[in-house]
Amino acid sequence: MTKDLRVIISGGGTGGHIFPALSIADAIRKICPDAKILFVGAEGRMEMKRVPAAGYEINGLPICGFDRTHILKNVVTFYKIMKSRRMARNIIKTFRPDVAVGVGGYASGPTLSEAQDMHIPTLIQEQNSYAGVTNKLLSRKANKICVAYDGMERFFPQNKIIMTGNPIRQTLLSCEESKEEAIRKFHLDPRKKTILIIGGSLGARTMNEAVLNSIVLIRQSDAQFIWQVGSYYYESVKALLEKTGKPDNLVMLDFIPNMAEAYKAADLVISRSGAGSISELEALGKPAILVPSPNVAEDHQTKNTLALTSHEAALYIKDADAVRTLIPSAINTIKDEAKLIKLGKNIKSLAHTNADVVIAKEVIALAESYKGKNRSN
């Protein structure tokens, strides 16, 4: 296996980009324990904390996205892009990678563009069913493109595409607790059906409003609920429930630190439709009701959802309808054992549980080829 392997991994901005990036890095390290891996992220974004916490070095770029509402503000954006490209070039010259990996997000653009201009092989990983602008641009010179959905030749050169699925947090697959033990961790009743509601690490306003709008229905339900409100909304929601009274069958948390336990406890999951969340639901075979966020580029969460509903692998509720219909639909679904079994079976059939290893091997192969050419020159 390649000695002195040097890899740059770039991207971030959200957990949906960071978790796959860390999974790929971990898989590379398992295959090549001596590999040198450097992350490049965007200053001020969550990767600048999450990546060092996972044991990897990271450099930050002053990159940001375009403001589609206030066009004049993009003068500053252009300046930051050019500065980020200069910084990325210096990082590459100093680190001397054998391969560069892009996982999407602001920082991957400057880093991979510079790597491509310097004739360093690049691999991009597209998590969504609708490709992002950055990855579409980078695909022209990329050597390999790892995808998680069929039909991605709409966006990328077909001869470069590899169907790998999305890497997920391996801790989710290695949870050894029983379902009963997991439910008790949340101080709930193992004899009852459990609905898990997650709107992302920061929470989701629409989904929180849907729960608050149905408190009476929740209180009367035979089901029980684990609800991740999100740190941004936690105090305001807590104050509201202190006035109305929190149902005993509802556990409210600002953040769930151990998602493996939460998934294990759940009979039904209500979630946004980020690519990472969907990949986790697929790997675990969890019946799900998906509520795509309307506040994402190219409405890609809706497209992710439709890719599942076309296989009868999830239920879909529009964000605009969620406040009124989400909780009633969840309570009706949790009563239908046949539907839960069908949804779980169908979503499991779409899973790629070894995506991290498959992608890591592709990264290593590109690096080996690059090092071989350099030795022969």
Side-chain angles (χ1 to χ4, degrees):
M1 196 55 65
T2 297
K3 292 183 179 180
D4 303 320
L5 178 67
R6 304 181 74 83
V7 182
I8 276 182
I9 301 178
S10 188
T14 67
H17 291 124
I18 298 166
F19 292 136
L22 289 172
S23 294
I24 294 168
D26 290 343
I28 292 171
R29 277 270 173 87
K30 284 182 181 178
I31 300 170
C32 299
D34 297 328
K36 303 292 188 297
I37 300 175
L38 175 67
F39 281 75
V40 179
E43 292 176 354
R45 303 305 293 261
M46 68 168 65
E47 59 265 27
M48 301 307 294
K49 291 184 179 179
R50 293 284 180 89
V51 169
Y56 294 97
E57 182 183 352
I58 186 168
N59 288 355
L61 303 178
I63 190 72
C64 64
F66 285 102
D67 191 323
R68 301 184 184 187
T69 305
H70 306 95
I71 304 300
L72 292 178
K73 289 184 178 181
N74 289 320
V75 174
V76 176
T77 302
F78 277 114
Y79 168 77
K80 289 184 175 181
I81 290 173
M82 298 311 297
K83 184 178 180 180
S84 294
R85 289 201 63 150
R86 290 194 300 270
M87 290 175 66
R89 191 172 188 85
N90 288 333
I91 290 168
I92 292 168
K93 284 182 177 179
T94 302
F95 185 71
R96 295 177 292 108
D98 304 306
V99 62
V101 179
V103 296
Y106 302 141
S108 64
T111 308
L112 266 74
S113 291
E114 289 299 325
Q116 290 172 345
D117 288 348
M118 298 166 75
H119 306 292
I120 294 165
T122 58
L123 177 148
I124 59 178
Q125 198 252 331
E126 175 56 61
Q127 289 116 30
N128 293 294
S129 62
Y130 193 93
V133 174
T134 299
N135 276 350
K136 282 191 281 189
L137 292 173
L138 291 171
S139 70
R140 298 169 187 171
K141 295 182 180 180
N143 298 80
K144 298 289 182 180
I145 304 165
C146 297
V147 303
Y149 292 91
D150 294 326
M152 298 304 286
E153 63 275 5
R154 294 174 295 159
F155 311 107
F156 303 131
Q158 189 166 9
N159 63 321
K160 298 180 180 182
I161 293 174
I162 306 169
M163 171 61 78
T164 61
N166 286 323
I168 66 168
R169 293 172 280 184
Q170 292 302 304
T171 53
L172 300 179
L173 299 175
S174 58
C175 180
E176 296 181 354
E177 286 183 305
S178 68
K179 181 179 179 181
E180 291 74 17
E181 289 171 333
I183 290 173
R184 286 196 175 96
K185 287 285 184 72
F186 293 95
H187 307 289
L188 292 172
D189 187 345
R191 297 168 297 180
K192 292 186 176 182
K193 294 285 189 182
T194 304
I195 299 172
L196 172 64
I197 306 167
I198 45 176
S201 57
L202 296 178
R205 186 183 67 181
T206 301
M207 291 164 70
N208 289 345
E209 289 178 353
V211 175
L212 292 170
N213 189 57
S214 299
I215 287 296
V216 174
L217 198 59
I218 289 171
R219 197 188 310 275
Q220 296 171 347
S221 170
D222 291 331
Q224 53 195 2
F225 299 76
I226 300 170
W227 176 25
Q228 180 175 278
V229 179
S231 56
Y232 182 81
Y233 300 99
Y234 182 74
E235 291 301 329
S236 60
V237 170
K238 182 180 177 183
L240 282 171
L241 287 182
E242 284 175 352
K243 293 179 181 178
T244 61
K246 185 181 75 65
D248 293 336
N249 59 339
L250 174 66
V251 173
M252 184 187 73
L253 300 164
D254 60 341
F255 178 73
I256 299 173
N258 191 330
M259 280 303 301
E261 290 178 347
Y263 278 131
K264 182 75 78 167
D267 296 286
L268 175 68
V269 180
I270 297 173
S271 174
R272 287 302 201 189
S273 306
S277 297
I278 286 179
S279 295
E280 291 175 356
L281 294 168
E282 289 174 344
L284 297 169
K286 287 294 175 181
I289 298 178
L290 300 175
V291 186
S293 171
N295 305 312
V296 294
E298 311 292 350
D299 196 25
H300 68 254
Q301 287 203 7
T302 296
K303 296 178 176 70
N304 291 348
T305 302
L306 294 175
L308 264 65
T309 57
S310 65
H311 292 89
E312 296 185 85
L315 302 179
Y316 167 31
I317 291 182
K318 294 182 179 179
D319 187 83
D321 299 331
V323 172
R324 179 174 52 86
T325 66
L326 179 58
I327 299 304
S329 176
I331 290 173
N332 286 334
T333 301
I334 204 76
K335 296 175 184 176
D336 190 338
E337 187 65 27
K339 180 176 281 189
L340 291 176
I341 292 171
K342 180 180 179 180
L343 289 170
K345 180 180 178 182
N346 288 349
I347 198 169
K348 181 75 172 178
S349 72
L350 303 175
H352 296 266
T353 54
N354 65 336
D356 55 341
V357 174
V358 175
I359 295 171
K361 288 180 178 178
E362 293 291 340
V363 172
I364 292 167
L366 286 176
E368 287 180 330
S369 177
Y370 176 73
K371 290 169 82 72
K373 287 179 182 177
N374 283 352
R375 280 195 295 267
S376 63
N377 289 339

